[in-house]
Amino acid sequence: MDGLARPDIEALLGTAEDYVALSRQVEKKAATLRGRTQINLFFEPSTRTQSSFEIAGKRLGADVMNMSVSSSSVKKGETLLDTAATLNAMRPDIIVVRHHAAGAVNLLARKVDCSVVNAGDGAHEHPTQALLDALTIRRAKGRIEGLVVAICGDILHSRVARSNIICLAALGAVVRLVGPSSLLPAGIERFGVEVYHNMQAGLAGADIVMMLRLQRERMNGSFLPSVREYFRYFGLDRDKLAFAKPDALVMHPGPMNRGVEIASDVADGAQSLIREQVEMGVAVRMAVLEALAGHLPNG
Amino acid sequence: MILLVNARLVDPVAGRETSGGLLVAQGAIADVGPHLAAGAGPEGAAVIDCRGQVVAPGLVDLQAFIGEPGAEHRETLSSASRGAAAGGITTLVCRPDTDPVIDDPAIVDFVLRRARAASAVRIHPCAALTKGLAGREMTEIGLLKEAGAVAFGDAHRSVMNAQVMRRAMVYARDRDAVVSHFTQDANLAAEGSMNEGEFASRLGLPSIPKVAETIMLERDLALARITGVRYHAALISCAQSVETIRRAKDEGLAVTCGVSVNHLTLNEGDVGDYRTFLKLSPPLRSEEDRQALVAGLAEGVIDAIVSDHDPQDVETKRQPFAEAADGAIGLETMLAAALRLVHSEEISLPRLLHALSAGPAAAYRLPEAALRRGAAADLIIFDPEEPWVVDPSLLASPCKNTPFDEAKLQGRVLGTLVGGEIVHAVAGALPGL
């Protein structure tokens, strides 16, 4: 998201709106990427992001190939750049990349001739997630400017949080971060956000409550004492949600840990936007792929 | 005999510069001073007209990785020697983390014998402080020192066990050996790859806090206080460490410290878009830290500037940032990069040269680096102003991981002498050279 200005973001969201409509029709196909090859290159497994990009590419008419590298070449000692060079020689038009290391997508993009979409790199960025969150909020609230958005949980390890901070700030929202200090990155106060260490203060007056996934390996002892202590202070249940505005809406990038960062009744409740987020994901990814279509080789 | 005339003589020990000449005979400085005007030397001396360029003691670099034995694809004694000579370094201390580790007198002997055959500059090994760099058992400090090791440390690793460190220090004190320690708490540093702070957080990189360095430095100084060891903090990187060293020196502890030229001239912002050539250990810190290091250098709190030369091949650097190897090459760019501080008027030329020669020599108790009669004729002639652009393909190291890739630098070594022999000369730069 870093480097995208407000008009760029709004243009993408505008295109995505059209694709929401298209995706709700019986005939869901467009011809924007007909004849094009899209490779989804995932160095760490992510069922939902990968399938979302796959559907987005197919609805635009591209030939989509999924490649999970964690299970193949890397184990044979092939480096990231070798993999990139190999795929590049197959002349794809778009490569969608997910990698466990920050900056890896960036590095790969410099070594291939085609367009590259970042589908999440380490704790750095996950731009299409931020765009789909923005679209979801805009459709639910009619605007983003001036809304108070509280992003809660493991900010330290979250690429979703970083991209959302950039995106939402660019669109004029007030961004709050809520979490234990052991899960907040250093220098966070210089990100142009408000920082809270308890849910009551952090959610007071919030329009949107965005929960983050807590990775299992961080739950026991290293960053936090235990799951039950985390849920006690930072898990979103009805009582904590009551601190936010009465019409506040709840979001989660998925997959959820029910009973860890979010209670089931909240996740499935009337204030939840979580299923809309998934639908918007396809539309936003179609918009991103379309934006790249104008810049593809032989385009 | 070689007579250098029309020289700008900068003596870092005396802290002054004069115009004059310098006579080299039998590997040593036979005479020096303003009275050696053009052509006033003895019969038969080869005259080099320095044309007003600086003549100073050769540089002494306390920290460089040379891949002999075990990593010859990264650097050999021969290539390191060529790079050092071109960079004005006449004495080079090599790191113990070779394969096998320099933790046995036979390996010290091997390195010194290979260096005699392959190197034109003086090479001294720093031996491991603990066997296998494992941080558990001290090495044969006495025998290693007799074999020729000039200092003891575990390269870019800290001895985490304070009991092991205390015993090694007190033992080293008895053997009158210098302990040169890398100060970074391994648990606090963990898997970090960049300075902790806003930059690392924005890039989403795991980070290394400054306290990882200061906590280890404070521990070491507490142990140095009770053991009385001659202690050298090999690579400090932040403002708080400068303060800590200053207090220790004021207290009268036998303490010295070094800083890499990279940390004096670059900061965390230079990492930019995940540039792995800027991935160093310790990591580049903030601009405030850099300025504090420069201030500490100007005041004399910092004794030594090192290249921390660390050649890495393409495979280990062309990786995602967190997975790439640490380190940068620096033999040939150390002087020119450090001269940035003179050109920006942050430090005087004599003070800078002190930290590049006399300071490090004193820290490891090597022969004094001074322009005085009787001293070894380890000398450099350099033009502090000459602009050049760093072209990695022209550097001697087989590895090209320079953080100054295509940087514009000012200051070029025209000639290097070791023991009175010319080991590097830029063709046609000076009459007689």
Short mmCIF file of all heavy atoms in Angstrom, two decimals, chain A residues 79-81 99-104 106-107 110-111 123-124 162 185-186 190-191, chain B residues 196-198 200-207 273-274 315 318-323:
data_model
loop_
_atom_site.label_atom_id
_atom_site.label_comp_id
_atom_site.label_asym_id
_atom_site.label_seq_id
_atom_site.Cartn_x
_atom_site.Cartn_y
_atom_site.Cartn_z
N THR A 79 16.74 -21.40 -4.60
CA THR A 79 16.51 -20.12 -3.95
C THR A 79 15.28 -19.44 -4.56
O THR A 79 14.80 -19.81 -5.64
CB THR A 79 17.71 -19.17 -4.13
OG1 THR A 79 17.80 -18.83 -5.52
CG2 THR A 79 18.99 -19.82 -3.68
N LEU A 80 14.83 -18.43 -3.85
CA LEU A 80 13.70 -17.63 -4.31
C LEU A 80 13.94 -17.10 -5.72
O LEU A 80 13.05 -17.16 -6.59
CB LEU A 80 13.51 -16.46 -3.33
CG LEU A 80 12.52 -15.37 -3.72
CD1 LEU A 80 11.11 -15.92 -3.78
CD2 LEU A 80 12.59 -14.22 -2.74
N LEU A 81 15.16 -16.63 -5.97
CA LEU A 81 15.43 -16.02 -7.28
C LEU A 81 15.55 -17.07 -8.38
O LEU A 81 15.23 -16.79 -9.53
CB LEU A 81 16.67 -15.14 -7.21
CG LEU A 81 16.48 -13.91 -6.31
CD1 LEU A 81 17.71 -13.02 -6.34
CD2 LEU A 81 15.24 -13.11 -6.73
N HIS A 99 4.87 -14.73 0.46
CA HIS A 99 6.14 -15.23 0.99
C HIS A 99 6.23 -14.91 2.47
O HIS A 99 5.68 -13.91 2.93
CB HIS A 99 7.31 -14.60 0.23
CG HIS A 99 8.61 -15.34 0.39
ND1 HIS A 99 9.40 -15.20 1.51
CD2 HIS A 99 9.26 -16.22 -0.43
CE1 HIS A 99 10.48 -15.97 1.37
NE2 HIS A 99 10.42 -16.60 0.21
N HIS A 100 6.96 -15.76 3.20
CA HIS A 100 7.05 -15.59 4.65
C HIS A 100 8.03 -14.50 5.07
O HIS A 100 8.09 -14.13 6.23
CB HIS A 100 7.43 -16.91 5.32
CG HIS A 100 8.64 -17.54 4.69
ND1 HIS A 100 9.91 -17.18 5.04
CD2 HIS A 100 8.77 -18.46 3.71
CE1 HIS A 100 10.78 -17.86 4.30
NE2 HIS A 100 10.12 -18.65 3.48
N ALA A 101 8.85 -13.98 4.13
CA ALA A 101 9.87 -12.99 4.50
C ALA A 101 9.49 -11.61 3.96
O ALA A 101 9.14 -11.47 2.79
CB ALA A 101 11.23 -13.40 3.96
N ALA A 102 9.62 -10.61 4.83
CA ALA A 102 9.36 -9.23 4.42
C ALA A 102 10.32 -8.83 3.30
O ALA A 102 11.50 -9.11 3.37
CB ALA A 102 9.53 -8.29 5.61
N GLY A 103 9.78 -8.20 2.26
CA GLY A 103 10.62 -7.73 1.16
C GLY A 103 10.85 -8.76 0.07
O GLY A 103 11.43 -8.44 -0.96
N ALA A 104 10.42 -10.00 0.30
CA ALA A 104 10.70 -11.07 -0.67
C ALA A 104 9.98 -10.82 -2.00
O ALA A 104 10.53 -11.08 -3.07
CB ALA A 104 10.32 -12.43 -0.09
N ASN A 106 9.11 -7.97 -3.26
CA ASN A 106 9.86 -6.88 -3.84
C ASN A 106 11.09 -7.36 -4.60
O ASN A 106 11.37 -6.96 -5.73
CB ASN A 106 10.34 -6.08 -2.63
CG ASN A 106 10.24 -4.62 -2.85
OD1 ASN A 106 10.84 -4.16 -3.81
ND2 ASN A 106 9.48 -3.94 -2.03
N LEU A 107 11.84 -8.24 -3.94
CA LEU A 107 13.07 -8.82 -4.51
C LEU A 107 12.74 -9.60 -5.77
O LEU A 107 13.38 -9.45 -6.81
CB LEU A 107 13.72 -9.72 -3.47
CG LEU A 107 14.98 -10.50 -3.84
CD1 LEU A 107 16.14 -9.53 -4.07
CD2 LEU A 107 15.36 -11.48 -2.74
N ARG A 110 11.84 -7.58 -8.94
CA ARG A 110 12.95 -6.96 -9.67
C ARG A 110 13.60 -7.93 -10.65
O ARG A 110 14.38 -7.52 -11.50
CB ARG A 110 13.99 -6.43 -8.69
CG ARG A 110 13.75 -4.96 -8.32
CD ARG A 110 14.77 -4.47 -7.33
NE ARG A 110 14.28 -4.71 -5.98
CZ ARG A 110 15.04 -4.78 -4.90
NH1 ARG A 110 16.32 -4.66 -5.00
NH2 ARG A 110 14.51 -4.99 -3.72
N LYS A 111 13.32 -9.23 -10.51
CA LYS A 111 14.01 -10.22 -11.33
C LYS A 111 13.13 -10.83 -12.41
O LYS A 111 13.57 -11.74 -13.10
CB LYS A 111 14.56 -11.34 -10.43
CG LYS A 111 15.46 -10.86 -9.32
CD LYS A 111 16.76 -10.26 -9.85
CE LYS A 111 17.54 -9.60 -8.72
NZ LYS A 111 18.72 -8.86 -9.21
N ALA A 123 5.94 -9.76 7.71
CA ALA A 123 5.17 -8.82 8.51
C ALA A 123 5.14 -7.45 7.85
O ALA A 123 4.92 -6.45 8.50
CB ALA A 123 5.78 -8.73 9.91
N HIS A 124 5.37 -7.42 6.55
CA HIS A 124 5.49 -6.14 5.86
C HIS A 124 4.13 -5.63 5.36
O HIS A 124 3.55 -4.75 5.96
CB HIS A 124 6.49 -6.29 4.70
CG HIS A 124 6.67 -5.05 3.89
ND1 HIS A 124 6.78 -5.07 2.52
CD2 HIS A 124 6.76 -3.76 4.26
CE1 HIS A 124 6.94 -3.82 2.09
NE2 HIS A 124 6.93 -3.02 3.11
N ARG A 162 -0.28 -3.36 9.08
CA ARG A 162 0.55 -2.34 8.44
C ARG A 162 -0.12 -1.78 7.19
O ARG A 162 -0.16 -0.58 6.97
CB ARG A 162 1.93 -2.91 8.10
CG ARG A 162 2.85 -2.95 9.32
CD ARG A 162 4.14 -3.68 9.01
NE ARG A 162 5.00 -3.78 10.17
CZ ARG A 162 4.77 -4.56 11.23
NH1 ARG A 162 3.67 -5.27 11.30
NH2 ARG A 162 5.62 -4.58 12.24
N PRO A 185 4.79 -3.09 17.59
CA PRO A 185 6.16 -2.86 17.10
C PRO A 185 6.75 -1.56 17.67
O PRO A 185 6.03 -0.65 18.04
CB PRO A 185 5.97 -2.76 15.59
CG PRO A 185 4.54 -2.50 15.35
CD PRO A 185 3.78 -2.96 16.55
N ALA A 186 8.10 -1.52 17.72
CA ALA A 186 8.80 -0.32 18.19
C ALA A 186 8.54 0.83 17.23
O ALA A 186 8.41 0.64 16.03
CB ALA A 186 10.30 -0.61 18.27
N ARG A 190 5.00 6.61 15.80
CA ARG A 190 5.34 7.49 14.67
C ARG A 190 4.63 7.08 13.39
O ARG A 190 4.95 7.55 12.31
CB ARG A 190 6.86 7.49 14.48
CG ARG A 190 7.55 8.03 15.73
CD ARG A 190 9.03 8.02 15.62
NE ARG A 190 9.50 8.95 14.60
CZ ARG A 190 10.77 9.30 14.46
NH1 ARG A 190 11.67 8.80 15.27
NH2 ARG A 190 11.13 10.13 13.51
N PHE A 191 3.66 6.19 13.49
CA PHE A 191 2.90 5.76 12.31
C PHE A 191 1.66 6.63 12.09
O PHE A 191 0.86 6.35 11.22
CB PHE A 191 2.46 4.30 12.47
CG PHE A 191 3.52 3.28 12.13
CD1 PHE A 191 4.78 3.37 12.69
CD2 PHE A 191 3.25 2.23 11.27
CE1 PHE A 191 5.76 2.43 12.40
CE2 PHE A 191 4.23 1.28 10.97
CZ PHE A 191 5.48 1.38 11.54
N GLU B 196 16.07 -1.90 15.85
CA GLU B 196 14.69 -1.78 16.31
C GLU B 196 14.23 -0.33 16.23
O GLU B 196 14.95 0.58 16.64
CB GLU B 196 14.59 -2.26 17.77
CG GLU B 196 13.19 -2.20 18.32
CD GLU B 196 13.12 -2.71 19.77
OE1 GLU B 196 13.04 -3.93 19.94
OE2 GLU B 196 13.16 -1.89 20.69
N GLY B 197 13.05 -0.11 15.71
CA GLY B 197 12.53 1.24 15.60
C GLY B 197 11.56 1.37 14.45
O GLY B 197 11.16 0.38 13.84
N GLU B 198 11.24 2.61 14.14
CA GLU B 198 10.22 2.88 13.14
C GLU B 198 10.55 2.25 11.78
O GLU B 198 9.67 1.68 11.13
CB GLU B 198 10.07 4.39 12.99
CG GLU B 198 8.94 4.79 12.05
CD GLU B 198 8.96 6.27 11.72
OE1 GLU B 198 9.78 7.01 12.29
OE2 GLU B 198 8.14 6.67 10.87
N ALA B 200 12.40 -0.40 10.92
CA ALA B 200 12.20 -1.86 10.91
C ALA B 200 10.72 -2.19 10.99
O ALA B 200 10.24 -3.11 10.32
CB ALA B 200 12.95 -2.50 12.07
N SER B 201 9.99 -1.44 11.79
CA SER B 201 8.56 -1.71 11.94
C SER B 201 7.82 -1.48 10.64
O SER B 201 6.92 -2.23 10.28
CB SER B 201 7.97 -0.84 13.05
OG SER B 201 8.53 -1.22 14.30
N ARG B 202 8.19 -0.43 9.92
CA ARG B 202 7.53 -0.17 8.63
C ARG B 202 7.88 -1.25 7.60
O ARG B 202 7.05 -1.62 6.79
CB ARG B 202 7.94 1.21 8.08
CG ARG B 202 7.25 2.35 8.80
CD ARG B 202 7.43 3.67 8.06
NE ARG B 202 6.95 4.78 8.85
CZ ARG B 202 5.66 5.13 8.96
NH1 ARG B 202 4.73 4.45 8.32
NH2 ARG B 202 5.30 6.16 9.71
N LEU B 203 9.11 -1.72 7.64
CA LEU B 203 9.52 -2.76 6.68
C LEU B 203 9.04 -4.14 7.12
O LEU B 203 9.17 -5.11 6.38
CB LEU B 203 11.04 -2.76 6.53
CG LEU B 203 11.64 -1.54 5.82
CD1 LEU B 203 13.16 -1.56 5.89
CD2 LEU B 203 11.19 -1.47 4.36
N GLY B 204 8.52 -4.23 8.36
CA GLY B 204 8.04 -5.52 8.84
C GLY B 204 9.17 -6.49 9.13
O GLY B 204 8.98 -7.70 9.04
N LEU B 205 10.35 -5.96 9.49
CA LEU B 205 11.50 -6.83 9.72
C LEU B 205 11.69 -7.07 11.22
O LEU B 205 11.52 -6.17 12.03
CB LEU B 205 12.77 -6.18 9.16
CG LEU B 205 12.87 -6.11 7.64
CD1 LEU B 205 14.05 -5.25 7.22
CD2 LEU B 205 12.99 -7.50 7.04
N PRO B 206 12.10 -8.31 11.57
CA PRO B 206 12.45 -8.55 12.97
C PRO B 206 13.69 -7.71 13.32
O PRO B 206 14.56 -7.53 12.47
CB PRO B 206 12.77 -10.05 13.00
CG PRO B 206 13.08 -10.42 11.59
CD PRO B 206 12.29 -9.48 10.72
N SER B 207 13.74 -7.19 14.53
CA SER B 207 14.74 -6.17 14.79
C SER B 207 15.60 -6.47 16.02
O SER B 207 15.27 -7.32 16.84
CB SER B 207 14.07 -4.81 14.94
OG SER B 207 13.10 -4.86 15.97
N ASP B 273 15.02 0.12 0.51
CA ASP B 273 14.10 -0.88 0.01
C ASP B 273 14.72 -2.27 0.16
O ASP B 273 14.99 -2.94 -0.82
CB ASP B 273 13.80 -0.55 -1.45
CG ASP B 273 12.65 -1.37 -1.99
OD1 ASP B 273 11.93 -1.98 -1.18
OD2 ASP B 273 12.49 -1.40 -3.22
N TYR B 274 15.00 -2.67 1.39
CA TYR B 274 15.55 -4.00 1.68
C TYR B 274 16.89 -4.26 1.00
O TYR B 274 17.10 -5.29 0.39
CB TYR B 274 14.57 -5.11 1.27
CG TYR B 274 13.22 -5.03 1.94
CD1 TYR B 274 12.13 -4.48 1.29
CD2 TYR B 274 13.04 -5.52 3.22
CE1 TYR B 274 10.88 -4.42 1.90
CE2 TYR B 274 11.80 -5.48 3.84
CZ TYR B 274 10.73 -4.92 3.17
OH TYR B 274 9.50 -4.88 3.78
N GLU B 315 25.08 -15.69 -3.43
CA GLU B 315 24.01 -16.58 -2.94
C GLU B 315 23.54 -16.19 -1.54
O GLU B 315 22.38 -16.33 -1.22
CB GLU B 315 24.49 -18.04 -2.91
CG GLU B 315 24.52 -18.71 -4.27
CD GLU B 315 25.59 -18.12 -5.16
OE1 GLU B 315 26.69 -17.82 -4.66
OE2 GLU B 315 25.33 -17.94 -6.36
N ARG B 318 21.73 -12.34 -2.07
CA ARG B 318 20.53 -12.17 -2.89
C ARG B 318 19.41 -13.03 -2.33
O ARG B 318 18.99 -14.01 -2.91
CB ARG B 318 20.83 -12.49 -4.35
CG ARG B 318 21.48 -11.30 -5.04
CD ARG B 318 21.99 -11.66 -6.40
NE ARG B 318 20.92 -12.00 -7.32
CZ ARG B 318 21.13 -12.35 -8.57
NH1 ARG B 318 22.35 -12.40 -9.05
NH2 ARG B 318 20.13 -12.66 -9.36
N GLN B 319 18.97 -12.64 -1.16
CA GLN B 319 17.94 -13.36 -0.41
C GLN B 319 17.00 -12.31 0.16
O GLN B 319 17.36 -11.14 0.23
CB GLN B 319 18.59 -14.11 0.77
CG GLN B 319 19.60 -15.17 0.39
CD GLN B 319 18.93 -16.46 -0.04
OE1 GLN B 319 17.73 -16.62 0.12
NE2 GLN B 319 19.69 -17.36 -0.61
N PRO B 320 15.83 -12.73 0.59
CA PRO B 320 15.00 -11.79 1.35
C PRO B 320 15.82 -11.26 2.53
O PRO B 320 16.63 -11.99 3.11
CB PRO B 320 13.84 -12.65 1.81
CG PRO B 320 13.74 -13.74 0.81
CD PRO B 320 15.16 -14.02 0.38
N PHE B 321 15.61 -9.99 2.89
CA PHE B 321 16.50 -9.30 3.83
C PHE B 321 16.77 -10.10 5.10
O PHE B 321 17.93 -10.27 5.49
CB PHE B 321 15.88 -7.95 4.20
CG PHE B 321 16.84 -7.01 4.88
CD1 PHE B 321 17.66 -6.18 4.13
CD2 PHE B 321 16.94 -6.97 6.25
CE1 PHE B 321 18.56 -5.32 4.74
CE2 PHE B 321 17.84 -6.11 6.88
CZ PHE B 321 18.64 -5.29 6.12
N ALA B 322 15.72 -10.60 5.74
CA ALA B 322 15.92 -11.29 7.02
C ALA B 322 16.72 -12.58 6.86
O ALA B 322 17.33 -13.06 7.81
CB ALA B 322 14.58 -11.58 7.68
N GLU B 323 16.73 -13.13 5.65
CA GLU B 323 17.41 -14.40 5.43
C GLU B 323 18.81 -14.22 4.83
O GLU B 323 19.56 -15.17 4.71
CB GLU B 323 16.56 -15.29 4.51
CG GLU B 323 15.27 -15.70 5.20
CD GLU B 323 14.21 -16.25 4.24
OE1 GLU B 323 14.56 -16.61 3.11
OE2 GLU B 323 13.04 -16.31 4.66
#
